[in-house]
Every structure is written in structure tokens, then in C-alpha cells.
Amino acid sequence: MFKKITLFLIFFCYSVFGQTSYRNLSTEKWTFNKQNEVKKHKATIPGTVHTDLFQNQLIPDPFFGANEKQLQWIENENWEYETKFILSTKELKTENIDLEFEGLDTYASVYLNGELVLEADNMFRKWTISAKSHLKIGTNHLKVVFHSAVQKGKDAAAKLSYTLPEKERVFVRKAQYQFGWDWGPRFVTAGIWKKVQLKFWNSAKIENIKYSQLELNDKKAILEFTTEIHVAEVKTIQVKINEKSENFNLKKGKNKIKMQYEIANPKLWWCNGLGDANLYPFTIEISQKKQFLDSKKLNIGLRTIELIQEKDQVGKSFYFKLNGKSVFMKGANVVPPDNFLPRVSDATYFSLVENAKKANMNMLRVWGGGVYFDDAFYEACDANGILVWQDFMFACSMYPGDEKFVENVKQEVIDNVNRLQNHSSIAIWCGNNENDEGWHNWGWQKQFNYSKSDSTQIWNDYKKVFHEMIPKTLDSLLPKEKNIYWSSSPSIGWGRKESLLQGDSHYWGVWWGKEPFEIYEKKVGRFMSEYGFQGMPNLETLQKVMRKEDLNFTSEAFKNHQKHPTGFETINEYMERYYVVPKDFENYLYVSQLLQARGMKIAIEAHRMAKPYCMGTLYWQFNDCWPVTSWSSLDYYGNWKAAHYQVKESFAPIFLAVAEKTDGLSIIGNNDNLEVKAGIVTVKLIDFSGKELWTASKECVLDVEKNTTCMQISYAELPKFVKEKTVLQIEFSGNHKNTVAYHYFVKPKELQLEQPTIEVKIVGETLIEVKTNTFTKNVHLQADGRFFNDNYFDLIPGIPKIIKTDRPTDNIKVKSLFDTMK
């Protein structure tokens, strides 16, 4: 009896006063089937057809071995999803009931009680239907039919008189990487990939909130909130922002109301490494006659961000100012963390951002061939001080420009900009990835035999979307201080001289051009937004997706987990240049990671040494969508490759480098803090037995605007030494965390290493001490999935290293570069 009274009172308040409430339909019992097949199977919502087929044991694990090849039939079929749910008489008395799909992938016909209520055609949009007139008391039936995106794309392509690059994928507004990439498999999936719910409301609902900064200084911040409210009839409502409230007379339908809010002595939001990512919590609430109707919450970081492009003696600058301070951006390009996105939890996004922060990053670029990430990713970036370069979802091709396509993209832009614009982490909106470069550099005109009129049409369609519609739409949605738009990344292709003089650069002379890593020192642009090199994952990662007998270079399973057509050949060619190529499979994986780390070290050091000419370095790529050999520094399971440990060191706030010249060495310091750093630079020449051959120290003050030459060492000052058996150690010490770097005079394969005796001792619950009897290069610690805060490091005899683990362990395997050179 008590339960019935409670439910009645809850519904009474809801129905009389109009409070907004939700009913999650994702948790109902769903089934799916291939169209025209009678048998139905259990479905999980949110989900995809591939994961549902796998969970029902109708297909093998898509990621395992070479299974991908036998699962391509799935993309050509239509799939049906359906469920039943019960509505009570009281529920149906609600004035308004909306059916909301957060995400449908992609071509979906939605039927409610047998009536077609929606035709969706964009994975990136939210779809809302006014559903009350289609609902009934008792059992309701909801059915979603997904039509093959591949077939839809082919049908659209066939209507053009010319062929666009990448064929069918460019015609469909879904994640482009699903069609296969040189680091990802082809799984063109379908499904209700985000939450589906019923929204009940009577009097009023909040549809959108955005804010702008009218004033921001040390003494106060004045924010103006614009709240879009939909009301069923003319009424007076109270809008409350935290403790401040005002009354507004609203007309029937949509209303935009503005309220200002002042903060005294505001604390600014800073990116990682420069200060705290201060956030102010806000609750925006609407009510009528003191009865709650609806509310939304925001966490707001107060900051200013600017993209500075000023002409100079060589070209034009490209850098960001945060709160009036020039910031060197350090980070990477992020791809979707899974091919099947409903498997990505909030915790996965939090972990990605945490791993960026741990590696001293302050910016991540959300790449345009994936998806606009879930709110959790941007919330994590807000909280951890990671700025976001946000691409719109277009990559490496040209796209149609017909009226229907452009309007569809416009609504996509509106949905996602409205959803994301309140995040303090968003720094820049970018139209696409490499479309402009592809058109001007990749020879499509010749490859596809375009006529002059074809080329004119294709380029005009490009301008229609990226030079006209998107920027105009941003102008209508964003306040001036949030509206930084860049039409395409990069602005000029890497084969052109101008690409290093202005705009952002994607430099692929290394890898694609087979140029040596050292070319990075010469090919430095104003903002390096892409460059990279592949490294294989650990053996433990491959063991999860391959049989033991397939863990070799010739198996189909292993080859299938390398998507670049000449990937293994390229790795091997570079490895021969710098390392002794191991014959053992596991050692080869290890050395491939060292090779990747070496490339990233040389590139990042070159970019930082060029400050302030270069003011940003975002390598390709941060993470993986499946277990694979790729450019990532984090593998699919979140394990750090050697490259991630290297970028953590190379992105440190204080960074030391050695420049070799004909007559000697220059010791250079780089300081990314907001204030100068004073300390002592100590340089030691040490042989592999640990003997100190030479040392020198000097006081040094590291500038913040540019690099500082701390010490010049002529070769005449140094005693005779064997380059193959000697290392230069540089340390910067002072009232801050000491920075240590090592410099070698020859390539790793030329080092005359001796077999080390490495001792690992547990000195605390999660602390271990590592020491050696002879110089040891690239010490790799491994222990059943444990995380070490440092790894792949070099050890000087007589100088123990303390390593922290994420949990206790007593079974640690150790290897070093010497083990691969036998």
C-alpha cells in the first residue's frame, strides 16, 4: 500500500507541475535479426550488429586472427532491432512525450506501433520525435530497421557522373574509419550505438544552454548564459543559476532567455603543466510557482584562448595563447578507442586522458575520420587541463555538396557544437583532416580522370561545406571568444616548402618518404599537427588475438593485424639503419618499439628546439581501435609502448638537448613553464663501466620565450674517448624537479654493450629498485599487466633507479637492448 501511495504522489507532482522525467528504453528486452529471417536473437542496447552477433555466438571474435576477412558480408545486409515496453494510463496523460535516440548508426527507419516515425541518415546526430500521438496504453512496439550503409553509399555514388576518392564511404555520415584505414580493420557496422529513451514533460523543458564570457580579469568574471526553453503555453517561469534567480515571461514554443552571472576574484583554467584546471560548477534550473520543472549542470573553466597568426620574416606564425600566455602545445592525435563504440566506457575515456596527462601533454587532437567523442572524454579533458583540437568528421577525401548532404552536415554541426561548446578544453574547431592537402597534392585529378568541369564542381562542393556552411554555422552558434575555426589540417601538404613556413604541418617524409629520422631536425614547421612512425605492440597484446602458432611474421593472423600495405617492410628498413635486427619474434617486437621511440624523440626534440618558430607538436597517433601494429604509443588495451615513455620524457616541462656541431657540443635547455627557471647544468662524460671521464657545471637561467644555450663544449676540452662505449649525461638541478638526459655519439646498433647483471629489488609495497653492473640500454620491466611509471630506460652503473608500480608485484621479467644483439 505504501509503495502505491508513493508512486501516486511522485506521478501527481510530475503530472501537475510538469517536471521533466525520463524512461530509459535501452534496458528493455531487445531482439535483432537479419532482415527477412524469422529467428530473433538477444540484443544489447547500446550496441552494434557485430557485437550482438558475437555475443550470440553467431560469428567468431571479429578481432581474433584473420576473422575480419570472413565477416565482410555483415555490412551488406539490413538488420532489424525491436522491443516492447508498457505505458500506463497516467504516463500517457503527460502532455508531451519525446522519443530520443542519442545515436543511430546510420540509415535507420524507426517504427512505433507499426507507424514509420523517423528516417535517420546520420550517425553523428541526435534524433528526437514527438511520440505521444503514436503511443498507447499498455504494450507498445518499437522497431528500428538498419539499411546497409555500404549499399546506400554505393547508390549515392552511382548518381554522380564522376568518382569521388574513397568511393562509398564519403556519401554516408558515419565514422569513416569503419571502412578500414592503414591502422584499423573494415567493420562497417550498424546499430543503436547510444542511449534511447522516452522524455516526459508537461509545462517546460530546457533544450540547450550556452554561455559567453563578457568580462574576465583578476577582479571579476561576468558570464552571460543563454538558455533555450520550450514551453507548452504562455507562462511565467523562474530561472535560477546557482543562487541567483530571475523571472521571465515566455511565449508558447521555443524561447531564448539571457542571464548574467558574476564571479569575484576568479581562478583561471590552465592547461596541464601551467597551473590548475579550475572549474566552477553551475546548476541552471527552471521552475513555476516554486515547483521544479527541469535543470542542467555545467562545469565551466574561465579562460581565454587565441590562435595567433602573424606575418614574420619567413612566413606566418601559428600558435595558441591561453590566458594571454603563449603556450607550446604538446600532445597527439586521438582515434576512436574501439571499432565497436558502445564497448567504450566512460572509464576508457578517463583513462585515455589520464595517460595523456601522465605523459606531460596539454593538447589532444580528435581526428576527423572517427567520431565526436562522448561527453566523458571532454569532461576528463576539462578536469585534467587537456586542450582539444576538434576536427569535424571528414578525412582524406572529397565529399559531395548537394543540398541534402550539406543540410545534413549542418544539423550535425549544430548538434555537436551545441553539445560540446561549453567545455573549457575545446580550443579549435577544424573542418577536416587532409582533404585540402589530398586535393592539391595526391593526384586525384589524374587518378580519376576528372574533366575541368568535374574538378570545378568537386572543389566548389568542398568550399560550400568547409569555407561557407561550417564557418557560417559556427558564427551563429558560438560567441566570438570560442569561435576559432581552421578549415583543414594541414593547411598545405608536406611536399611543399610553404608547409613549413605557415599554418599547421603534417610531415610524412619519415615513414611514407622513407627519409631518415634525422630529417625531422630540418623539416620543422610552425605547428606540427601530424608525424609518426609505427611500433608493434607487446607480445601479451598479440597473444590475446592470435593463437600461439600464429605468433610469427608469416602467419595470416599476424599480417592481418598490420593494415599498412608496406608496414612491416618499412619498419624493417628503418630498423636495419639504427639497430641490430633481431631474429627472435619477441625481441623484434621490443626493438620495433625502441625504433618508434627513437623516431619520436628526434622529432619532438627538433620541434621543441625550434621554439618559438615552432609552437606545437602533436604526433600520430595516441591510441588504437583494436590490437594492431600501428603508429600508436598506447596499444588497444591501454598499455604504454616504449614511445609513450619517451614522449613523457620529451614533453617534460624542462627539457634538455645536445646539438652536435663540427667543433663541439651545445647544451640547450627548453622551459615550458610560465616563469624562468634557474639552476645548475652538470655535464658528465661516462664510459660504460661507470667511470666518469670528464665533468663540467655551469649556472643557467632557462628562458620561457625561447630556448637557452646553457653550455658550449668544444671537442678539444674533452679527453679522448671511444664513442661506442661512452654516454654524455646532462642534468639540470635547482629548486624544482631535476631533469636528466642522455646523449649518445653513435647509433644504437654501433654501441659496444656488455652483458649486464641487472638487479631488481623490492624496496616498498609498490616501489622497486633497479641497478646494474655495467651501462645498460633500454631496460624493459614486465610483470603480468603491471604498470611501471618508467620503463625502457637507460641505467648507469652505480646509480640505482627507483620505479613505482601501480600495484604490488614480486615476479618481474627484465630485458635490455643487449639481449637483442647476441
Side-chain angles (χ1 to χ4, degrees), residues 564-580:
H564 191 278
T566 60
F568 290 138
E569 293 90 335
T570 303
I571 290 171
N572 205 70
E573 182 176 329
Y574 275 85
M575 194 181 292
E576 287 174 346
R577 297 178 191 176
Y578 297 101
Y579 289 87
V580 175

Side-chain angles (χ1 to χ4, degrees), residues 91-110:
E91 285 177 306
L92 207 58
K93 283 183 178 178
T94 311
E95 289 180 24
N96 302 282
I97 307 174
D98 296 337
L99 176 60
E100 295 182 344
F101 290 95
E102 297 286 343
L104 291 167
D105 182 12
T106 291
Y107 291 93
S109 300
V110 178

Side-chain angles (χ1 to χ4, degrees), residues 25 85-87 91-92 96-99 112-113 115 117 129-142 198-200:
L25 297 183
F85 58 94
I86 296 173
L87 285 183
E91 285 177 306
L92 207 58
N96 302 282
I97 307 174
D98 296 337
L99 176 60
L112 190 52
N113 291 325
E115 292 183 74
V117 294
I129 308 145
S130 180
K132 183 175 179 179
S133 62
H134 305 286
L135 294 167
K136 61 183 180 181
I137 298 166
T139 301
N140 290 263
H141 180 247
L142 178 60
L198 289 174
K199 181 175 184 177
F200 299 88

Side-chain angles (χ1 to χ4, degrees), residues 518-547:
E518 290 73 22
I519 200 72
Y520 280 135
E521 296 167 354
K522 298 178 181 178
K523 302 291 187 177
V524 179
R526 313 310 296 263
F527 192 102
M528 304 302 293
S529 50
E530 264 197 37
Y531 58 92
F533 195 86
Q534 283 196 352
M536 297 176 181
N538 292 331
L539 181 63
E540 294 70 29
T541 291
L542 294 178
Q543 286 173 332
K544 293 179 180 179
V545 291
M546 294 179 202
R547 299 174 302 174

